[in-house]
Amino acid sequence: MHTRRIGDVEVSAIGLGGMPMSIEGRPDEERSLATLRAALDAGVTLIDTADAYHRDADEVGHNETLIAKALAGHDRGRDVLVATKGGHLRPGDGSWTLDGSPAHLKRACEESLKRLGVEAIGLYQFHRPDPRVPYAESVGALRDLLDEGKIRMAGVSNANPEQIREANDVLGGRLVSVQNQFSPAFRSSEPELRLCDELGIAFLPWSPLGGISRAAELGSAYAPFARIAEAHGVSPQRVCLAWMLAKSPVVVPIPGASRPETIRDSATAPELRLSAAELAELDAV
């Protein structure tokens, strides 16, 4: 597995997004555990989760608990950087709400620590800006958690360029990652990607294949991805991830998966080399 860096930690160039294993439409636990084991066997050393990745109101942190179980039972579990998030909530009716207050973020971090069974969270991210709370106050909670040793690295998610710069200032230059949506269907995070490249901050595209319901349709929706995939004898999804990796050495995609075969395919993307002409064609989509 090719590697990249988040802060001072070397991780696999492709991570795994855990959300599909815990929200609506999720598989049974055994298939989820098999998916996580397949990721570890393939050399994946970055797994992204959040306390809000659950379905019912009484199972906050479902995905964190699932990941902790898989890591504890695998000989490569200790090699994995688990990135989790706080500040987004799911009341249990399918909706998403926000709480970016420092008190909530610190309390959420404590609960995530317990579920993950660790003394310090490898990467803790502010999940989504809360318009009711000044951004600096929310990120200030992560600064405090860093200083207290509760988290080893801090990141932000769903942030614009101004918020990225503000977060880095509040953290005293210690912002290591930005997790934003980015895919062939969602290109509006290009400015954030360029800023991360400039600052040397890891950029973690979420839903890089278009999301749970659209990933399988990537090739049919975007003909160049299908044509180039056929030319290389690989899947359009693998082409998509290779295209992202070629954009900058700070890019570490985190495709979601709920089947072993899906993450196995994604994990091979760093081995695919696309020509300058092919990359230009995909950029033009």
Side-chain angles (χ1 to χ4, degrees), residues 208-209 214-220 225 229 234-243 262 265-266 269 272:
L209 302 177
R214 296 182 179 179
E217 303 167 2
L218 192 150
S220 58
F225 285 88
V234 301
S235 68
Q237 292 76 18
R238 200 183 308 184
V239 169
C240 180
L241 295 173
W243 164 68
T262 305
D265 183 67
S266 293
L272 177 61

Side-chain angles (χ1 to χ4, degrees), residues 196-245:
C196 286
D197 183 70
E198 173 191 329
L199 298 176
I201 293 171
F203 183 81
L204 315 180
W206 61 264
S207 289
L209 302 177
I212 297 171
S213 60
R214 296 182 179 179
E217 303 167 2
L218 192 150
S220 58
Y222 300 96
F225 285 88
R227 186 190 65 75
I228 292 171
E230 184 176 2
H232 286 273
V234 301
S235 68
Q237 292 76 18
R238 200 183 308 184
V239 169
C240 180
L241 295 173
W243 164 68
M244 286 187 184
L245 289 168

